[in-house]
Structures are given as structure tokens and as C-alpha cells.
Amino acid sequence: MSLHDDAVLVLKGYEGQGDLRQVYLDHLATHPDGLWKACGDGHITASALVIDPSRGQVLLTLHKKLRMWLQMGGHCEPVDETLAGAALREGAEESGIAGLTLLPGGPVRLDRHHTPCAWHLDVQYAAVAPGGAVEAISDESLDLRWFPYAEVADVADESVVRLLEATRARL
């Protein structure tokens, strides 16, 4: 199965955000290249909110280009076989943490936002960090920091706050 086919199946199975979900499905139906950065009309991206539920914390990255505290995530790559795999890869690359595991149940949220490269149709997952995980800043980040759940709204934008709320509801 191709990544495109996986994305369609994942989105068809996602039960929330009906109107936005349909925008994603329509995008994939009209853009065979709709998962790739080269698609100028926008592209599907995958992200992972890295959490440590035992400590009530979330790991955010201070994005180098956007200069905002965000969840880990980004563009799909040819090595990605699934959206979930892309989210895990991005989470591990940007956090430096091996052994992340996605919360069961598929994506937690969808979030469409404009970036300097194009519209991102982000499929957002939540990833649990293993006990004793040590983070490491990547080249894409200015900083990496654990925040208590209650402090996320003080540092991040509304999309990250909504992602955290949806993640906590799933826990």
C-alpha cells in the first residue's frame, strides 16, 4: 500500500472534524502528489505531540524558522510507509528520543495552517515518551523543553493548546 492510500484510509477512519477531514480527502483526491512538499497547493504533513503522562508534561520544540513553540512534525518523506510512521519518525528526529509510542486510536486532531512553504494539512498524533527519556535538540530547533500541561497555553499558540486538550481527553 502506498503512503497516499494509507493517508486516505487514515482520514476516512478519523471520526472528528468532519468538514476539515473532507478538505484533506478532497485534497488527496485531486492531488496525487498531495503528500509531498513539492505540491504547491499544500501538502499533508504529520506531527506528534510528545508527552510524558506520568509527569504531566509535554515536550515542545522552538522551531528554528517559525520561532514558535510547537509539537514535533513536518513533511512526509519517501521512506514513510504510513502517516503514523511519518509522525513517529518526525517525533524521534526532532526530539532525539528513541522508543516513542503513539497513543492508540489514530490521529488526535487535524490542523490546517499556512506556512512559508505552503498550506500544511497536518495530521496530528500524540506520542508517549518512554520513562527516563532524554531529549536532544535537532538542527530544526532553537530549543527543546518540557512544559507542564498547565503552562502550554502561556508559550504556544491555540493549535498546540487544542492538540494537548485532545490528547489529554484520549488519555
Side-chain angles (χ1 to χ4, degrees):
M1 176 185 323
S2 70
L3 181 58
H4 190 280
D5 291 342
D6 176 74
V8 170
L9 284 175
V10 166
L11 290 164
K12 283 184 176 179
Y14 178 70
E15 296 181 358
Q17 299 174 271
D19 291 343
L20 185 57
R21 181 179 70 103
Q22 193 58 51
V23 168
Y24 283 43
L25 288 167
D26 292 346
H27 175 77
L28 288 171
T30 57
H31 295 87
D33 64 343
L35 285 150
W36 310 118
K37 187 176 181 178
C39 183
D41 287 340
H43 34 270
I44 303 290
T45 56
S47 65
L49 183 70
V50 176
I51 58 169
D52 182 343
S54 67
R55 297 185 324 175
Q57 293 186 329
V58 58
L59 183 65
L60 298 178
T61 178
L62 184 56
H63 194 278
K64 189 179 270 186
K65 291 180 183 175
L66 300 177
R67 299 192 183 278
M68 296 170 61
W69 288 103
L70 301 170
Q71 75 276 11
M72 316 304 149
H75 297 106
C76 295
E77 302 288 344
V79 298
D80 297 323
E81 296 179 7
T82 64
L83 279 180
L88 267 178
R89 178 187 52 74
E90 285 286 337
E93 285 177 2
E94 293 186 10
S95 71
I97 298 173
L100 295 174
T101 55
L102 294 182
L103 282 184
V108 175
R109 286 195 87 251
L110 305 177
D111 187 76
R112 182 176 181 259
H113 51 272
H114 199 264
T115 71
C117 76
W119 281 98
H120 279 187
L121 288 77
D122 198 28
V123 180
Q124 301 178 323
Y125 292 83
V128 178
V134 178
E135 67 278 5
I137 296 174
S138 76
D139 291 342
E140 297 180 33
S141 178
L142 294 172
D143 197 3
L144 201 57
R145 193 177 309 161
W146 288 99
F147 291 95
Y149 294 156
E151 292 180 15
V152 171
D154 296 334
V155 297
D157 71 5
E158 194 61 33
S159 70
V160 178
V161 172
R162 285 191 302 268
L163 176 56
L164 176 59
E165 288 170 353
T167 297
R168 292 184 71 190
R170 188 168 292 181
L171 290 172

